[in-house]
Amino acid sequence: MRNLQLSFNQTQKVRLEKALERLESLSSKSNPNSCVTVGDTIPVYEDGILKGHGTSDQKGELAATVCGVVERINKLIYVRALRARYKPETGDIVIGRVIEVVPKRWKLEINFTQDAILMLSSMNLPDGIQRRRTAVDELNMRSIFTENDLVCAEVRSSQGDGSLQLQARNQKYGKLERGQLLTVDPYLVKRRKQHFHHLEEYGIDLIIGCNGYIWIGEHVEARDKMVVDQGSNSEQPIAKCDKNSMDLDEQDGTYTPREARENICRIANAIRVLSRLGFNVTVEVILETVNLSNSLNLDIHDMLGSEFYVLVAESEAERRSLSKRKR
């Protein structure tokens, strides 16, 4: 749990400590000897093991050199450090911010030790046609992404010097607009088969980046730009007639309804609460937290109050207890 800068009364402190103790006991029962500190002995159940990161041989015993969780893959034993920086793997879904536009590539900040590279040749062009990139495409790079734009992409490869190559060859990747970006500790995000989520009930798109960047935005259909252009041209006379009656934001497609903005803020506050409590950020837990706030008829700003933190901790302890009983 992160250090909560909140004012809890005595009753709330007791309830929160009780919920956290219950969560700790559930995790320790399900996976004993999983959490270690520096110098702790790691139990070994077979011969011929391979010592991985965070382990050391001390007087014939395997000891931990970092604080974290013991992971076992066949004969390999290593310690996954908590609160560590993001370590990218091929296929990771990441969110980054463009910091520089250079010839044939964009440089993105993705919460890593080095900036990632998105090549023009690895980018899905606006027209959606697969073709060779030309000098004209290179001149028009700023019409695709410019500085401070948020971009969703996939890790393509990692070079020997530690630099990362990204790719965005699908319509689901690209520029992110009309939403809110949150940053959580990368260790709270687990790699899963699906990191893109459409919350139909709220009309919101949720992208949980493996690098700890989370995007919450208004739902946008992935459509071919050429189809959109054809449709807009056919309705051009009608648009001219109603031009004076439309809001400027609605004309350029940047208008977000109030209900969508409220849903974005509510989901964002749910993620903030989970992050500060140190809970894993998954779409299931996020939705449970949002539904809890709705069932209590809480205003959006009240979700950041001390009472809601206690309720979320108690709810998570109850959820994990029920899931363990079902097993």
Side-chain angles (χ1 to χ4, degrees):
M1 183 184 69
R2 305 290 296 273
N3 295 327
L4 299 179
Q5 303 297 329
L6 295 172
S7 57
F8 295 97
N9 58 38
Q10 190 62 31
T11 303
Q12 290 172 340
K13 287 182 180 179
V14 172
R15 291 168 54 199
L16 181 60
E17 291 175 359
K18 185 177 180 181
L20 294 178
E21 289 176 359
R22 186 180 178 187
L23 287 169
E24 185 177 357
S25 64
L26 289 172
S27 61
S28 61
K29 290 178 182 178
S30 61
N31 192 7
N33 301 321
S34 60
C35 296
V36 293
T37 59
V38 177
D40 285 352
T41 301
I42 301 175
V44 178
Y45 307 107
E46 57 183 340
D47 297 330
I49 63 166
L50 300 176
K51 298 185 290 293
H53 173 76
T55 63
S56 177
D57 191 358
Q58 299 290 338
K59 298 180 180 180
E61 294 183 342
L62 190 64
T65 58
V66 296
C67 299
V69 179
V70 178
E71 300 285 355
R72 303 171 188 267
I73 303 177
N74 297 330
K75 289 183 176 293
L76 174 65
I77 300 179
Y78 68 96
V79 179
R80 176 171 54 84
L82 298 180
R83 302 185 187 277
R85 294 187 66 92
Y86 168 61
K87 295 181 180 179
E89 295 182 6
T90 301
D92 280 357
I93 305 300
V94 297
I95 298 172
R97 186 180 296 276
V98 178
I99 59 174
E100 188 178 0
V101 182
V102 295
K104 297 183 180 180
R105 70 194 67 189
W106 294 272
K107 290 186 178 181
L108 279 70
E109 189 278 318
I110 61 166
N111 197 23
F112 184 50
T113 54
Q114 297 188 37
D115 297 330
I117 300 297
L118 176 60
M119 300 293 297
L120 179 61
S121 58
S122 302
M123 175 65 199
N124 185 42
L125 294 178
D127 55 17
I129 300 177
Q130 297 296 329
R131 57 178 174 81
R132 294 189 63 180
R133 308 311 189 252
T134 64
V136 177
D137 295 325
E138 187 174 348
L139 291 174
N140 294 331
M141 284 180 59
R142 289 186 181 273
S143 64
I144 304 176
F145 302 137
T146 186
E147 285 83 358
N148 292 321
D149 282 350
L150 292 174
V151 179
C152 178
E154 178 183 338
V155 176
R156 179 183 179 183
S157 62
S158 178
Q159 305 301 321
D161 58 354
S163 61
L164 287 182
Q165 296 282 344
L166 305 180
Q167 64 179 1
R169 297 182 179 274
N170 197 306
Q171 291 287 347
K172 64 182 180 180
Y173 301 124
K175 187 176 179 180
L176 301 175
E177 297 178 300
R178 298 158 67 179
Q180 185 175 155
L181 178 70
L182 292 181
T183 303
V184 301
D185 290 324
Y187 74 89
L188 296 177
V189 179
K190 304 302 179 185
R191 291 179 173 88
R192 311 182 74 178
K193 291 183 178 180
Q194 186 61 257
H195 286 263
F196 294 87
H197 306 281
H198 172 38
L199 310 182
E200 297 184 8
E201 181 181 356
Y202 302 101
I204 297 299
D205 284 337
L206 176 66
I207 304 176
I208 304 178
C210 296
N211 58 335
Y213 288 166
I214 300 177
W215 173 259
I216 313 152
E218 184 182 5
H219 177 61
V220 178
E221 294 289 346
R223 295 176 294 178
D224 193 336
K225 188 175 181 181
M226 294 182 66
V227 177
V228 176
D229 291 341
Q230 292 173 2
S232 61
N233 291 336
S234 62
E235 298 175 0
Q236 189 172 2
I238 301 176
K240 288 182 178 179
C241 296
D242 298 337
K243 186 174 182 180
N244 295 331
S245 60
M246 293 176 61
D247 186 81
L248 293 176
D249 287 339
E250 295 178 356
Q251 290 179 30
D252 60 16
T254 59
Y255 175 75
T256 302
R258 178 174 179 177
E259 182 181 0
R261 295 198 299 268
E262 291 178 348
N263 289 335
I264 290 172
C265 293
R266 185 173 293 275
I267 295 172
N269 280 353
I271 295 174
R272 290 187 179 98
V273 172
L274 294 173
S275 174
R276 296 185 69 182
L277 286 172
F279 296 160
N280 289 339
V281 180
T282 63
V283 64
E284 295 82 8
V285 180
I286 292 172
L287 287 176
E288 287 186 6
T289 306
V290 173
N291 293 335
L292 176 63
S293 68
N294 286 327
S295 64
L296 298 173
N297 293 322
L298 286 179
D299 290 333
I300 296 174
H301 64 275
D302 291 335
M303 294 176 64
L304 299 179
S306 56
E307 178 63 22
F308 189 68
Y309 277 85
V310 178
L311 291 173
V312 171
E314 292 175 341
S315 176
E316 180 66 9
E318 185 65 24
R319 185 187 69 85
R320 294 188 189 181
S321 177
L322 291 175
S323 62
K324 187 176 180 180
R325 291 175 189 173
K326 291 179 181 179
R327 294 176 185 176

